[in-house]
Amino acid sequence: MPPIPLASNPLPRIITYYQTHHDSAGKPISLLPLLTQPGISLTHVILAAIHLNEDPNQITLNDHPPHHPRFETLWAELRILQASGVKVLGMLGGAAKGSYKRLDGSDAQFERYYVPLREVIRARGLDGLDLDVEEEMSLGGVVKLIDRLRSDFGKDFIITLAPVAAALLDHRSNLSGFDYEALEVMRGHEISWYNAQFYCGWGDMSNPIMYEMIIRKGWPIEKVVVGLVTNPDNGSGFVMWEFLSAVLTLLRGRHERFGGVMGWEYFNSLPGGKERPWEWAKQMTSVLRNDASLTSAQPPPINEATKPVLEADPDAPNSKPVQVPKQFDYYSDDSDI
Protein backbone atom coordinates (compact mmCIF):
# COMPACT_ATOMS: atom_id res chain seq x y z
CA MET A 1 0.00 0.00 0.00
CA PRO A 2 1.40 3.44 -0.86
CA PRO A 3 1.70 6.07 1.89
CA ILE A 4 -1.34 8.20 2.62
CA PRO A 5 -1.04 11.24 0.29
CA LEU A 6 -0.49 14.63 1.89
CA ALA A 7 -3.46 16.95 1.66
CA SER A 8 -3.01 20.38 0.15
CA ASN A 9 -3.76 21.73 3.64
CA PRO A 10 -1.17 20.12 5.94
CA LEU A 11 -3.24 20.51 9.12
CA PRO A 12 -2.94 18.81 11.46
CA ARG A 13 0.83 18.55 11.02
CA ILE A 14 2.77 15.43 11.94
CA ILE A 15 6.39 16.37 12.59
CA THR A 16 9.41 14.38 13.72
CA TYR A 17 12.74 15.70 14.90
CA TYR A 18 15.77 13.87 13.55
CA GLN A 19 18.88 14.38 15.66
CA THR A 20 20.29 10.90 16.23
CA HIS A 21 21.35 10.00 12.71
CA HIS A 22 23.41 6.83 13.31
CA ASP A 23 23.06 3.77 15.50
CA SER A 24 25.68 2.56 17.98
CA ALA A 25 27.52 0.74 15.16
CA GLY A 26 27.70 3.90 13.05
CA LYS A 27 25.06 2.77 10.57
CA PRO A 28 22.73 5.53 9.26
CA ILE A 29 19.23 5.49 10.71
CA SER A 30 16.99 5.67 7.66
CA LEU A 31 14.01 7.98 7.32
CA LEU A 32 12.72 6.28 4.17
CA PRO A 33 10.27 3.98 6.02
CA LEU A 34 8.31 7.15 6.75
CA LEU A 35 7.55 7.11 3.01
CA THR A 36 7.48 3.40 2.23
CA GLN A 37 5.52 2.04 5.18
CA PRO A 38 1.72 2.13 4.77
CA GLY A 39 -0.59 4.40 6.72
CA ILE A 40 1.86 7.26 7.36
CA SER A 41 1.14 10.88 6.46
CA LEU A 42 4.18 12.74 7.75
CA THR A 43 4.23 16.45 6.92
CA HIS A 44 7.58 17.74 8.22
CA VAL A 45 11.02 16.54 9.33
CA ILE A 46 13.18 18.85 11.46
CA LEU A 47 16.87 18.06 11.15
CA ALA A 48 18.76 18.70 14.37
CA ALA A 49 20.89 20.26 15.52
CA ILE A 50 22.77 23.05 13.75
CA HIS A 51 25.28 24.87 15.97
CA LEU A 52 27.14 28.12 15.45
CA ASN A 53 30.60 27.86 16.98
CA GLU A 54 33.29 30.38 17.93
CA ASP A 55 34.73 30.26 14.41
CA PRO A 56 31.85 31.51 12.21
CA ASN A 57 32.93 29.21 9.38
CA GLN A 58 32.91 26.07 11.55
CA ILE A 59 29.19 25.37 11.69
CA THR A 60 28.38 21.86 12.87
CA LEU A 61 25.45 19.49 12.52
CA ASN A 62 25.66 17.94 15.98
CA ASP A 63 29.40 17.26 16.22
CA HIS A 64 30.50 17.35 12.58
CA PRO A 65 30.41 19.85 9.69
CA PRO A 66 27.33 19.44 7.46
CA HIS A 67 29.50 18.38 4.51
CA HIS A 68 31.12 15.49 6.45
CA PRO A 69 30.96 12.15 4.57
CA ARG A 70 28.97 10.59 7.43
CA PHE A 71 25.97 12.69 6.29
CA GLU A 72 25.90 11.57 2.64
CA THR A 73 23.02 9.14 3.21
CA LEU A 74 21.19 11.68 5.39
CA TRP A 75 21.19 14.42 2.73
CA ALA A 76 20.22 11.97 -0.02
CA GLU A 77 17.24 10.68 1.97
CA LEU A 78 16.10 14.17 2.90
CA ARG A 79 16.02 15.07 -0.78
CA ILE A 80 13.83 12.04 -1.42
CA LEU A 81 11.44 13.12 1.34
CA GLN A 82 11.27 16.62 -0.13
CA ALA A 83 10.55 15.21 -3.58
CA SER A 84 7.68 13.25 -1.99
CA GLY A 85 6.09 16.35 -0.48
CA VAL A 86 7.56 16.29 3.03
CA LYS A 87 9.01 19.64 4.14
CA VAL A 88 12.49 19.52 5.70
CA LEU A 89 13.57 22.16 8.20
CA GLY A 90 16.83 22.59 10.07
CA MET A 91 16.85 23.15 13.83
CA LEU A 92 19.20 25.82 15.12
CA GLY A 93 20.36 25.66 18.72
CA GLY A 94 18.74 23.47 21.34
CA ALA A 95 20.31 22.55 24.65
CA ALA A 96 23.86 23.31 23.45
CA LYS A 97 24.19 27.01 24.13
CA GLY A 98 26.04 29.65 22.15
CA SER A 99 24.37 29.89 18.75
CA TYR A 100 21.91 32.60 19.73
CA LYS A 101 24.39 34.51 21.88
CA ARG A 102 26.54 34.84 18.77
CA LEU A 103 23.60 36.15 16.75
CA ASP A 104 22.48 38.55 19.48
CA GLY A 105 25.25 41.12 19.32
CA SER A 106 26.21 44.08 17.20
CA ASP A 107 25.26 44.26 13.53
CA ALA A 108 28.82 43.32 12.57
CA GLN A 109 28.80 40.29 14.87
CA PHE A 110 25.39 39.22 13.55
CA GLU A 111 26.70 39.31 9.98
CA ARG A 112 29.79 37.25 10.87
CA TYR A 113 27.70 34.39 12.19
CA TYR A 114 24.52 34.70 10.13
CA VAL A 115 26.04 34.68 6.64
CA PRO A 116 27.68 31.21 6.98
CA LEU A 117 24.39 29.89 8.40
CA ARG A 118 22.50 31.31 5.43
CA GLU A 119 24.91 29.58 3.04
CA VAL A 120 24.38 26.20 4.74
CA ILE A 121 20.60 26.61 4.42
CA ARG A 122 20.96 27.48 0.73
CA ALA A 123 23.47 24.73 -0.04
CA ARG A 124 21.26 22.04 1.50
CA GLY A 125 17.97 23.35 0.13
CA LEU A 126 16.20 23.43 3.49
CA ASP A 127 12.54 24.43 3.44
CA GLY A 128 12.76 26.30 6.72
CA LEU A 129 14.47 26.83 10.05
CA ASP A 130 13.25 25.94 13.54
CA LEU A 131 14.59 28.38 16.14
CA ASP A 132 15.04 26.37 19.35
CA VAL A 133 16.20 29.13 21.67
CA GLU A 134 17.23 27.55 24.98
CA GLU A 135 19.47 30.38 26.16
CA GLU A 136 19.02 34.08 26.87
CA MET A 137 18.28 36.11 23.75
CA SER A 138 16.83 39.59 23.40
CA LEU A 139 13.50 40.22 21.71
CA GLY A 140 15.26 42.55 19.30
CA GLY A 141 17.78 39.84 18.48
CA VAL A 142 15.21 37.20 17.56
CA VAL A 143 13.22 39.77 15.54
CA LYS A 144 16.37 40.67 13.60
CA LEU A 145 17.03 36.99 12.84
CA ILE A 146 13.45 36.37 11.68
CA ASP A 147 13.46 39.47 9.50
CA ARG A 148 16.72 38.49 7.85
CA LEU A 149 15.58 34.93 7.16
CA ARG A 150 12.39 36.23 5.55
CA SER A 151 14.31 38.77 3.47
CA ASP A 152 16.86 36.23 2.25
CA PHE A 153 14.59 33.24 1.65
CA GLY A 154 11.23 34.68 0.68
CA LYS A 155 7.61 34.20 1.67
CA ASP A 156 7.52 30.40 1.35
CA PHE A 157 10.39 29.77 3.77
CA ILE A 158 9.07 28.18 6.98
CA ILE A 159 10.11 29.87 10.23
CA THR A 160 9.13 28.13 13.48
CA LEU A 161 10.11 28.40 17.14
CA ALA A 162 10.23 25.76 19.87
CA PRO A 163 9.27 27.27 23.24
CA VAL A 164 8.50 25.20 26.29
CA ALA A 165 4.72 25.04 26.55
CA ALA A 166 4.71 26.96 29.84
CA ALA A 167 6.21 29.97 28.07
CA LEU A 168 2.97 30.37 26.10
CA LEU A 169 1.12 30.83 29.39
CA ASP A 170 3.64 32.81 31.44
CA HIS A 171 6.66 34.66 30.05
CA ARG A 172 8.55 33.91 33.28
CA SER A 173 8.40 30.14 32.65
CA ASN A 174 10.78 30.40 29.76
CA LEU A 175 14.15 29.19 28.52
CA SER A 176 14.51 31.81 25.76
CA GLY A 177 14.75 35.11 27.59
CA PHE A 178 12.28 37.03 25.39
CA ASP A 179 8.50 37.12 25.78
CA TYR A 180 6.77 34.91 23.17
CA GLU A 181 3.53 36.90 23.41
CA ALA A 182 5.42 40.07 22.52
CA LEU A 183 7.14 38.24 19.66
CA GLU A 184 3.80 37.00 18.33
CA VAL A 185 2.46 40.57 18.36
CA MET A 186 5.52 41.90 16.55
CA ARG A 187 6.33 39.11 14.10
CA GLY A 188 3.54 36.55 14.34
CA HIS A 189 2.75 37.05 10.66
CA GLU A 190 6.25 35.70 9.85
CA ILE A 191 6.10 32.67 12.17
CA SER A 192 4.45 29.54 10.78
CA TRP A 193 3.91 27.79 14.11
CA TYR A 194 5.34 27.03 17.56
CA ASN A 195 6.66 23.55 18.42
CA ALA A 196 5.55 23.80 22.06
CA GLN A 197 7.40 21.39 24.35
CA PHE A 198 4.79 19.67 26.53
CA TYR A 199 7.36 17.62 28.45
CA CYS A 200 10.28 17.68 30.92
CA GLY A 201 8.16 19.49 33.49
CA TRP A 202 7.28 22.36 31.13
CA GLY A 203 3.95 20.90 29.98
CA ASP A 204 1.60 17.95 30.27
CA MET A 205 -0.34 16.04 27.63
CA SER A 206 -1.84 13.34 29.83
CA ASN A 207 -4.96 15.52 29.72
CA PRO A 208 -6.12 18.48 27.57
CA ILE A 209 -6.14 21.12 30.32
CA MET A 210 -2.85 22.91 29.62
CA TYR A 211 -3.41 22.95 25.87
CA GLU A 212 -6.89 24.42 26.33
CA MET A 213 -5.51 27.08 28.68
CA ILE A 214 -3.02 28.12 25.99
CA ILE A 215 -5.75 28.37 23.36
CA ARG A 216 -8.03 30.32 25.72
CA LYS A 217 -5.20 32.75 26.30
CA GLY A 218 -5.53 33.68 22.65
CA TRP A 219 -2.87 31.68 20.82
CA PRO A 220 -4.01 30.70 17.29
CA ILE A 221 -5.05 27.06 17.26
CA GLU A 222 -3.25 26.31 13.98
CA LYS A 223 0.02 27.72 15.32
CA VAL A 224 0.31 25.61 18.49
CA VAL A 225 1.90 22.24 17.69
CA VAL A 226 1.87 19.80 20.60
CA GLY A 227 5.41 18.64 21.32
CA LEU A 228 5.84 15.13 22.74
CA VAL A 229 8.70 12.93 23.81
CA THR A 230 8.48 9.73 21.81
CA ASN A 231 10.22 7.52 24.36
CA PRO A 232 10.75 7.84 28.16
CA ASP A 233 14.50 7.66 27.45
CA ASN A 234 14.26 11.01 25.65
CA GLY A 235 13.04 12.96 28.67
CA SER A 236 10.34 13.05 31.31
CA GLY A 237 6.71 13.55 30.45
CA PHE A 238 6.15 10.56 28.17
CA VAL A 239 2.43 9.75 27.91
CA MET A 240 1.26 6.21 27.26
CA TRP A 241 -0.67 5.77 24.01
CA GLU A 242 -3.86 4.67 25.77
CA PHE A 243 -4.12 8.13 27.33
CA LEU A 244 -2.46 10.19 24.60
CA SER A 245 -4.69 8.90 21.81
CA ALA A 246 -7.80 9.87 23.76
CA VAL A 247 -6.46 13.40 24.39
CA LEU A 248 -5.41 13.93 20.78
CA THR A 249 -8.72 12.58 19.46
CA LEU A 250 -10.55 15.02 21.71
CA LEU A 251 -8.44 17.99 20.61
CA ARG A 252 -8.63 17.06 16.93
CA GLY A 253 -12.41 16.76 17.12
CA ARG A 254 -12.89 19.91 19.17
CA HIS A 255 -10.59 22.18 17.15
CA GLU A 256 -11.07 22.09 13.39
CA ARG A 257 -7.69 23.78 12.78
CA PHE A 258 -5.71 21.78 15.34
CA GLY A 259 -2.03 22.52 14.64
CA GLY A 260 -0.69 18.98 14.98
CA VAL A 261 2.03 17.17 16.91
CA MET A 262 5.78 16.96 16.91
CA GLY A 263 7.89 14.16 18.37
CA TRP A 264 11.32 14.35 19.98
CA GLU A 265 12.87 12.31 18.47
CA TYR A 266 12.72 9.81 15.60
CA PHE A 267 15.37 7.14 16.20
CA ASN A 268 13.76 5.32 19.15
CA SER A 269 10.12 6.37 18.83
CA LEU A 270 7.64 4.03 20.48
CA PRO A 271 5.82 1.77 19.96
CA GLY A 272 8.36 0.39 17.48
CA GLY A 273 11.50 1.60 19.25
CA LYS A 274 14.87 1.52 17.53
CA GLU A 275 13.81 -1.39 15.31
CA ARG A 276 10.70 0.32 13.87
CA PRO A 277 10.75 4.02 14.83
CA TRP A 278 8.33 4.99 12.03
CA GLU A 279 5.43 3.40 13.93
CA TRP A 280 5.03 6.58 16.01
CA ALA A 281 4.16 8.53 12.85
CA LYS A 282 1.74 5.76 11.87
CA GLN A 283 -0.04 6.06 15.22
CA MET A 284 -0.29 9.82 14.86
CA THR A 285 -1.64 9.47 11.33
CA SER A 286 -4.34 7.07 12.53
CA VAL A 287 -5.65 9.65 15.00
CA LEU A 288 -4.96 12.97 13.31
CA ARG A 289 -5.04 12.48 9.53
CA ASN A 290 -7.30 9.51 8.98
CA ASP A 291 -10.69 11.07 8.26
CA ALA A 292 -12.54 7.75 8.55
CA SER A 293 -11.42 7.25 12.15
CA LEU A 294 -12.17 10.87 13.02
CA THR A 295 -15.76 10.56 11.88
CA SER A 296 -16.46 7.85 14.44
CA ALA A 297 -14.37 9.49 17.17
CA GLN A 298 -15.88 12.96 17.32
CA PRO A 299 -16.50 14.11 20.90
CA PRO A 300 -19.97 15.36 21.83
CA PRO A 301 -20.71 19.06 21.25
CA ILE A 302 -19.51 21.37 24.00
CA ASN A 303 -22.17 23.25 25.90
CA GLU A 304 -20.56 26.66 26.43
CA ALA A 305 -22.99 27.46 29.25
CA THR A 306 -21.94 24.45 31.33
CA LYS A 307 -18.33 24.05 30.21
CA PRO A 308 -16.16 23.84 33.35
CA VAL A 309 -13.49 26.41 34.06
CA LEU A 310 -10.09 24.79 33.51
CA GLU A 311 -7.16 25.27 35.81
CA ALA A 312 -3.71 24.31 34.60
CA ASP A 313 -1.78 22.27 37.15
CA PRO A 314 -4.04 22.94 40.15
CA ASP A 315 -2.25 22.99 43.51
CA ALA A 316 -3.51 21.11 46.52
CA PRO A 317 -3.97 23.09 49.76
CA ASN A 318 -0.64 23.78 51.46
CA SER A 319 1.22 22.08 48.63
CA LYS A 320 4.90 22.81 48.17
CA PRO A 321 6.09 24.90 45.19
CA VAL A 322 6.86 22.89 42.08
CA GLN A 323 10.58 22.55 41.47
CA VAL A 324 11.96 23.80 38.16
CA PRO A 325 13.13 20.73 36.22
CA LYS A 326 16.75 20.17 35.39
CA GLN A 327 17.85 21.11 31.89
CA PHE A 328 17.01 18.42 29.37
CA ASP A 329 20.09 16.97 27.68
CA TYR A 330 19.47 16.14 24.05
CA TYR A 331 20.92 13.05 22.44
CA SER A 332 23.67 13.39 19.90
CA ASP A 333 25.31 10.82 17.67
CA ASP A 334 28.08 10.41 20.21
CA SER A 335 25.67 9.43 22.96
CA ASP A 336 25.42 5.84 24.08
CA ILE A 337 22.31 4.75 22.24
Side-chain angles (χ1 to χ4, degrees), residues 245-298:
S245 61
V247 173
L248 293 178
T249 298
L250 175 68
L251 296 181
R252 176 68 175 96
R254 181 178 290 174
H255 302 290
E256 182 179 356
R257 293 188 58 77
F258 179 62
V261 296
M262 69 82 162
W264 182 271
E265 60 166 315
Y266 172 69
F267 86 104
N268 63 349
S269 300
L270 294 176
K274 295 177 183 178
E275 296 299 319
R276 301 180 309 280
W278 56 85
E279 290 185 0
W280 179 87
K282 185 172 184 177
Q283 280 188 329
M284 295 300 152
T285 300
S286 71
V287 169
L288 298 180
R289 296 182 65 86
N290 187 333
D291 292 338
S293 66
L294 285 172
T295 301
S296 61
Q298 292 285 348

Side-chain angles (χ1 to χ4, degrees), residues 13 142-144 146-151 154-161 180-194 219-220 222-223:
R13 307 173 189 93
V142 71
V143 166
K144 179 193 290 187
I146 290 170
D147 287 349
R148 190 60 179 276
L149 288 169
R150 180 63 66 220
S151 173
K155 64 180 180 62
D156 294 328
F157 190 75
I158 301 169
I159 300 173
T160 63
L161 286 97
Y180 279 90
E181 286 189 61
L183 178 63
E184 175 67 12
V185 170
M186 295 177 68
R187 290 297 184 274
H189 59 286
E190 303 290 4
I191 298 168
S192 297
W193 71 82
Y194 296 90
W219 288 95
E222 66 274 10
K223 293 182 70 170

Side-chain angles (χ1 to χ4, degrees), residues 291-319:
D291 292 338
S293 66
L294 285 172
T295 301
S296 61
Q298 292 285 348
I302 300 171
N303 186 331
E304 294 292 336
T306 60
K307 183 163 56 177
V309 176
L310 300 178
E311 181 182 358
D313 190 20
D315 293 325
N318 302 319
S319 60

Side-chain angles (χ1 to χ4, degrees), residues 18 21-23 26-30 70 73-74 77:
Y18 181 46
H21 312 134
H22 301 82
D23 63 20
K27 180 182 177 182
I29 297 171
S30 178
R70 69 189 282 113
T73 299
L74 176 151
E77 291 194 353

Side-chain angles (χ1 to χ4, degrees), residues 210-242:
M210 189 172 187
Y211 174 89
E212 294 289 2
M213 290 290 289
I214 290 171
I215 298 307
R216 289 190 181 190
K217 192 173 177 67
W219 288 95
I221 294 169
E222 66 274 10
K223 293 182 70 170
V224 179
V225 168
V226 172
L228 307 163
V229 284
T230 60
N231 187 307
D233 292 341
N234 299 347
S236 63
F238 177 79
V239 181
M240 296 293 292
W241 181 245
E242 291 80 2

